[in-house]
Amino acid sequence: MHTLPLALVLGASFAYLLLLFTVAWWADRRASAGRSVIGNAWVYALSIGVYCTAWTYFGSVGRAAASGLWFLPIYLGPTLAMLLAWSLLRKMVRIAHTHRITSIADFVASRYGKSRTLAALVTLIALVGILPYVALQLKAISSGFALLAGTQGANSAQGTPWWLDTTFVMALLLAGFTIAFGTRHLDASERHEGMVAAIALESVVKLLAFVAVGVFVTWSLFDGPGDIFARAAADRSLAPLLGLTGSSGGEARFAGGQWFALTLLSALSVLFLPRQFQVMVVELVDERHLRRATWAFPLYMLLINLFVLPIALGGLLHFGRGGADPETFVLSLPLAGGHPWLALLAFVGGLSAATGMVIVEAIAVSTMVCNDLVMPIVLGSGRHTSDLSRLPLQIRRVVIVLLLMLGYLYFRIAGEAYALVSIGLISFAAVAQFAPALIGGMYWKGATRAGALAGLVAGFALWAWTLLLPSIAKSGWLPHGFVADGPFGITLLRPEQLFGLTGLDSLTHALLWSLLANIGLLVAVSLARPPAAREVAQALRFVDVFRSDRQAGGTATVRWRAQATLAELRQLAARFLGAEPAERLFAEYAQRSGARRIERIVLDAQLVRHVETQLAGAIGSASAHAVVATVVEEEPLGPSDLLRLLDEASQVRALNRQLESLDRLKDDFISSVTHELRTPLTSIRAFAELMRDDPDMATAQRQEFLGLVVAETERLSRLVNQVLDMAKLEAGHGQWRREAIDLRELIAHAVHTTSELFRERGAVVTVEQPDEVRPLMADRDRLLQVLLNLLSNAAKFVPQDGGRVRITLSTDARGATIEVQDNGRGVPPEQQRLVFEKFRQGGDASNRPQGTGLGLPISRRIVEHFGGHMWLRSTPGQGACFGFELPWTHDTVGDQS
């Protein structure tokens, strides 16, 4: 069999890694310039391909060579998950982006009252559970490198020091590349644009390389797939791989159970593996990209698995059983066929598959360890009184190196005794333990922290007992009798036949007991003890996340208690974010809240929650909550949260006052709408009756009356349209477009449309704007609707004579700001927070202009859908200024068309 020079294999490997680093650097540079590479649905779908690791590249062929189609459940599960569970994934994304969640540990902990204990437990499970998977990648790279360069057995030769082991060296190199790829930014919730771009490229490379080998084997070594399958069917030893031999009823039931277990396990893994959560949830730019991923990712899975069985059968036919390691057929077949360059390409594809997994997994796990294991210890030591803005990055870099070294250690302890697929399934079963707490927490408000803890502990313990320890024992590190006879000879505790259950393979057996205990304890303990108030509050925010998003823009006040001042809160943020990022945080908040300057920010619950959310991106939600709790005694709840909370607990009687307020709001709504409907209907009826009863009415007068009827009909249409529009927006059924908008032209159009209103009032409209403005990506009709609402509102309140309205357009690096200032009577302070509520209008009842009170609420929802913010500034007697700002780029988090 041909081999390649060692220098060539090393050179190709380094060149490829350098290419990945260059792509990542280029993508980061473009992101810094405001031109995101990953804001593309195809890039997102390809990045999910990180699921296909060295296990896919080498292990699937090995499994197919041993058991035929039994490699398929590992890929059938993710395909079904993307096709059937996309709504679950969308909900995960919305929750994570709303709360700036950075990892799966952060997600689970945040759901259950921001529990630091739960975050630490999930992190430990992920860390221990993922080590076999890291070892798998190292084993695949090591065996492929040895085969290609002809160095099999060199590392184990007597006298070779362990630090010269090629697998150890590769682990260090991967650690270095991972640090360079993913630990340049403090905020873990910020997207790793360069990393995602590199992972998308890796997905393309490994697919093309694997398909190239498949084409070579199928049509060069053999005469097509028909030839391969015909020869395999004629070979008695290979016919079972094609399912051509019968099986008894018991064997069929066993196979069916194992097939279901593998499919379920892989479906859970594609959602809950730390690396999958990182690319599918944290790194997602636009929620709408999920729609393409639901079919593009299954298509990718189909393409990369098309040639698995032909390569496996081709290798067995070419080498014979035992002639070569099936897990290296992707390399050994091109070498045996005299195509070493194709083998080198295949090795680069396998290296790509392994490095992609290691990079993303290490970034995700290092973030979890930093935020949920190390930082709580640091905070508990009192060190948070000093500047810690650089510490999380340093911790993550150390954890990445330790993770690769521990993966190498597991490879040396247990990796040699297991096939690649078996090692991967051990990790899959560990990660599956997150599913009950996470899925239950997203859909069941009654799930509690105690139940989640009990379920995770039991599930993880049974996983370790029934799957992890037997893998170590199989490697000779534990007595053989430990597995065969049970500890201390207790046969009921035998890991692979726990409680006397027989007839199942080890994986199905472990999955059954661990998930059964996990789900059972989650439900039982949650029902036995009611959740704490904070857990219920978080449950409402998670379970009803879409409803909460629609209510998030409310202006109602919240009650809270705090010991902090604004200066102390700024100092707290600076310790963990750095002085400059902290000041930028408060400056942006001042702009959005209408305070304009930091010193004028009102210290309220919304500010505290905003600061805590930003800190969560750097140190995790549990640690952020603990830090903020040093100055704030309790987290605030909005009235809507409080109502829903007590409604869930059957304590509505304690909220009679709030219910009376809601009843009055309902009456106001009915009164407002019926009044607005009655007035034009009365006019229409009166004019129609006059024309009916006077057939000799003069033509001029009849035309005048008809014009009034048309005007009143248009007024009715506007009312109905506004009510329907508001209902659509609140139900999440609004229609949205995205196009480049010339803001100068948009303002000119709005001014022209409302010119007659201002002419009738004798008012003058002026526009102040830059000579040139870059295009803004949004929905032109919706933004025109906002401007028309603001201008129409100004026209109602300017003086009859001498009215002045000034429209100001300004821009900066972040986005564009538009303000509409009038010289009317202004809005009293006690009413300024009511104008954005539905069916509320400023002014006294005696001089309040006609209208539904829906224009401003609709406008604010439109602005917030495009990532912006709307405000009101007004001093009584000096007019009112309504303004809004929109970012140049944004993630639409509102309604989906």
Side-chain angles (χ1 to χ4, degrees):
M1 186 181 297
H2 294 83
T3 59
L4 292 171
L6 177 62
L8 178 60
V9 179
L10 289 175
S13 302
F14 277 107
Y16 179 69
L17 293 176
L18 182 61
L19 172 63
L20 292 181
F21 188 82
T22 303
V23 169
W25 174 83
W26 170 75
D28 279 336
R29 286 289 299 271
R30 285 183 61 90
S32 300
R35 295 175 293 175
S36 174
V37 175
I38 69 173
N40 181 288
W42 285 112
V43 174
Y44 174 69
L46 286 171
S47 69
I48 302 177
V50 74
Y51 176 82
C52 300
T53 67
W55 177 8
T56 300
Y57 220 81
F58 301 108
S60 293
V61 176
R63 187 173 182 86
S67 53
L69 294 176
W70 276 95
F71 76 95
L72 280 179
I74 308 302
Y75 306 99
L76 179 62
T79 300
L80 293 176
M82 291 300 294
L83 293 175
L84 303 179
W86 70 270
S87 60
L88 182 147
L89 179 58
R90 177 172 175 257
K91 191 169 188 177
M92 287 172 59
V93 167
R94 182 67 63 85
I95 292 170
H97 288 189
T98 300
H99 299 278
R100 288 177 65 84
I101 288 173
T102 59
S103 67
I104 198 165
D106 204 13
F107 193 102
V108 176
S110 183
R111 160 59 180 86
Y112 296 99
K114 302 181 180 178
S115 167
R116 296 169 72 175
T117 303
L118 199 53
L121 176 61
V122 173
T123 300
L124 285 174
I125 294 175
L127 180 61
V128 175
I130 215 63
L131 288 179
Y133 217 105
V134 176
L136 182 157
Q137 312 307 313
L138 297 178
K139 178 179 180 179
I141 296 174
S142 174
S143 58
F145 181 85
L147 176 66
L148 208 59
T151 60
Q152 295 99 323
N155 289 329
S156 58
Q158 189 173 10
T160 302
W162 61 269
W163 58 86
L164 294 180
D165 182 356
T166 54
T167 309
F168 176 76
V169 174
M170 182 59 69
L172 286 179
L173 288 175
L174 287 178
F177 269 86
T178 303
I179 291 172
F181 269 108
T183 58
R184 293 193 294 270
H185 306 291
L186 171 63
D187 191 344
S189 66
E190 288 185 0
R191 296 180 180 89
H192 302 81
E193 299 246 352
M195 180 197 74
V196 175
I199 297 304
L201 174 63
E202 285 186 320
S203 294
V204 174
V205 170
K206 64 192 176 191
L207 174 62
L208 293 179
F210 194 84
V211 169
V213 174
V215 170
F216 164 74
V217 172
T218 306
W219 283 281
S220 182
L221 290 183
F222 298 89
D223 292 330
D227 180 35
I228 294 177
F229 291 120
R231 292 191 191 188
D235 190 322
R236 287 188 175 183
S237 64
L238 300 184
L241 300 181
L242 301 176
L244 298 179
T245 58
S247 59
S248 65
E251 290 174 340
R253 287 193 298 272
F254 172 81
Q258 189 179 12
W259 189 281
F260 173 79
L262 288 172
T263 303
L264 173 64
L265 190 60
S266 56
L268 295 177
S269 298
V270 80
L271 296 173
F272 305 130
L273 278 167
R275 72 172 184 276
Q276 295 302 128
F277 188 89
Q278 183 74 31
V279 296
M280 296 173 71
V281 178
V282 178
E283 305 292 347
L284 177 60
V285 173
D286 191 328
E287 217 173 88
R288 292 172 297 184
H289 293 173
L290 288 172
R291 295 185 180 274
R292 182 169 297 171
T294 55
W295 62 265
F297 177 66
L299 176 61
Y300 183 91
M301 300 288 282
L302 172 64
L303 293 176
I304 205 168
N305 283 284
L306 274 179
F307 292 101
V308 168
L309 197 56
I311 293 174
L313 294 175
L316 292 174
L317 289 170
H318 185 84
F319 296 110
R321 283 194 176 273
D325 182 0
E327 291 183 341
T328 63
F329 279 173
V330 176
L331 302 178
S332 56
L333 283 172
L335 289 175
H339 290 78
W341 287 102
L342 180 59
L344 181 61
L345 175 63
F347 174 75
V348 170
L351 177 65
S352 180
T355 54
M357 175 271 167
V358 170
I359 289 171
V360 182
E361 202 81 75
I363 289 172
V365 173
S366 66
T367 300
M368 294 163 64
V369 172
C370 172
N371 292 350
D372 302 312
L373 288 181
V374 181
M375 287 305 295
I377 298 175
V378 173
L379 298 177
S381 67
R383 282 195 58 193
H384 58 277
T385 57
S386 59
D387 184 2
L388 299 178
S389 59
R390 300 296 300 174
L391 183 60
L393 276 181
Q394 298 168 0
I395 294 172
R396 290 169 195 164
R397 289 165 180 165
V398 172
V399 171
I400 288 172
V401 176
L402 291 177
L403 177 67
L404 268 296
M405 293 301 98
L406 289 173
Y408 172 76
L409 181 62
Y410 184 89
F411 163 68
R412 283 303 174 205
I413 292 176
E416 297 292 351
Y418 272 76
L420 294 178
V421 169
S422 300
I423 297 176
L425 292 176
I426 293 173
S427 287
F428 274 21
V431 172
Q433 305 309 314
F434 300 148
L438 197 147
I439 298 178
M442 289 170 58
Y443 292 96
W444 181 31
K445 296 176 184 176
T448 67
R449 170 183 172 274
L453 278 171
L456 280 169
V457 169
F460 180 62
L462 285 169
W463 166 82
W465 184 259
T466 58
L467 208 57
L468 181 65
L469 291 182
S471 73
I472 298 176
K474 188 174 180 179
S475 304
W477 289 79
L478 287 175
H480 177 72
F482 179 87
V483 175
D485 305 324
F488 308 107
I490 305 175
T491 56
L492 285 179
L493 296 182
R494 287 181 295 185
E496 295 185 335
Q497 294 180 357
L498 190 62
F499 304 132
L501 182 63
T502 60
L504 297 177
D505 66 287
S506 59
L507 179 69
T508 307
H509 178 265
L511 190 65
L512 171 67
W513 283 117
S514 60
L515 286 184
L516 184 64
N518 195 331
I519 297 172
L521 283 175
L522 170 67
V523 174
V525 176
S526 296
L527 292 176
R529 273 176 34 182
R534 185 177 306 282
E535 295 176 51
V536 178
Q538 290 299 101
L540 291 171
R541 293 180 180 125
F542 274 56
V543 177
D544 297 332
V545 63
F546 296 109
R547 187 192 311 172
S548 299
D549 277 356
R550 293 194 293 269
Q551 297 174 348
T555 55
T557 58
V558 290
R559 292 178 293 178
W560 67 301
R561 297 178 298 168
Q563 304 168 339
T565 64
L566 180 60
E568 290 173 331
L569 206 58
R570 291 170 66 182
Q571 186 178 12
L572 184 68
R575 289 172 189 157
F576 293 93
L577 303 178
E580 184 177 343
E583 287 303 294
R584 186 165 57 249
L585 162 68
F586 281 90
E588 291 174 353
Y589 183 86
Q591 292 293 322
R592 286 197 301 270
S593 63
R596 313 303 289 180
R597 297 201 310 270
I598 295 178
E599 294 74 15
R600 297 177 60 183
I601 293 177
V602 176
L603 181 58
D604 57 10
Q606 293 176 351
L607 172 62
V608 172
R609 186 175 180 186
H610 179 70
V611 172
E612 181 178 325
T613 302
Q614 301 304 308
L615 288 175
I619 60 175
S621 60
S623 296
H625 179 70
V627 168
V628 173
T630 61
V631 292
V632 178
E633 293 184 11
E634 64 178 21
E635 186 182 57
L637 286 178
S640 59
D641 285 340
L642 191 60
L643 284 171
R644 288 160 52 215
L645 167 63
L646 295 181
D647 181 62
E648 291 290 333
S650 301
Q651 299 178 17
V652 181
R653 293 182 180 178
L655 291 174
N656 285 333
R657 294 181 181 178
Q658 284 87 345
L659 292 178
E660 290 172 1
S661 174
L662 291 176
D663 203 38
R664 286 195 300 270
L665 185 60
K666 178 200 68 175
D667 293 340
D668 290 344
F669 163 68
I670 295 175
S671 175
S672 175
V673 173
T674 54
H675 171 74
E676 293 297 328
L677 288 172
R678 185 186 300 115
T679 302
L681 283 174
T682 301
S683 299
I684 292 170
R685 179 177 179 179
F687 292 129
E689 288 177 347
L690 286 172
M691 290 185 288
R692 182 196 64 185
D693 297 337
D694 187 1
D696 299 327
M697 180 180 292
T699 302
Q701 190 175 24
R702 184 179 298 273
Q703 288 299 114
E704 179 185 356
F705 285 178
L706 286 173
L708 292 172
V709 168
V710 171
E712 292 300 299
T713 305
E714 291 175 346
R715 181 177 166 194
L716 271 177
S717 298
R718 285 195 301 270
L719 170 64
V720 174
N721 288 337
Q722 283 188 325
V723 173
L724 292 176
D725 205 11
M726 193 70 192
K728 283 183 179 179
L729 293 178
E730 290 193 335
H733 299 152
Q735 300 296 317
W736 305 93
R737 293 184 301 176
R738 187 173 179 178
E739 56 189 321
I741 301 172
D742 184 344
L743 293 177
R744 289 167 52 88
E745 183 275 333
L746 189 73
I747 293 174
H749 187 166
V751 171
H752 177 73
T753 302
T754 56
S755 59
E756 187 62 22
L757 292 176
F758 292 107
R759 189 191 64 79
E760 293 175 355
R761 300 284 295 183
V764 176
V765 180
T766 59
V767 179
E768 299 177 4
Q769 57 189 3
D771 295 333
E772 293 185 2
V773 177
R774 61 184 284 192
L776 180 78
M777 298 302 295
D779 189 320
R780 185 185 185 280
D781 291 340
R782 290 290 189 179
L783 291 191
L784 179 61
Q785 183 181 3
V786 173
L787 281 175
L788 292 177
N789 282 336
L790 295 185
L791 290 173
S792 300
N793 187 70
K796 295 176 185 177
F797 291 99
V798 294
Q800 184 63 43
D801 294 311
R804 296 187 307 276
V805 175
R806 184 177 74 253
I807 306 172
T808 305
L809 168 62
S810 60
T811 62
D812 57 22
R814 294 186 300 271
T817 301
I818 298 177
E819 292 187 335
V820 178
Q821 171 77 54
D822 65 62
N823 66 335
R825 59 180 177 269
V827 182
E830 66 274 9
Q831 296 184 11
Q832 290 181 13
R833 291 189 358 234
L834 302 179
V835 296
F836 289 109
E837 294 185 11
K838 293 175 292 185
F839 309 107
R840 296 294 189 98
Q841 292 180 286
D844 299 329
S846 59
N847 57 18
R848 184 178 299 156
Q850 292 182 346
T852 62
L854 288 176
L856 288 175
I858 290 174
S859 298
R860 187 186 61 187
R861 285 197 176 275
I862 292 172
V863 169
E864 291 179 348
H865 174 85
F866 292 108
H869 174 70
M870 178 173 282
W871 62 83
L872 162 65
R873 294 197 312 273
S874 179
T875 301
Q878 299 181 20
C881 178
F882 286 91
F884 63 93
E885 62 177 359
L886 292 171
W888 298 122
T889 59
H890 58 269
D891 298 336
T892 54
V893 296
D895 314 310
Q896 299 294 322
S897 57

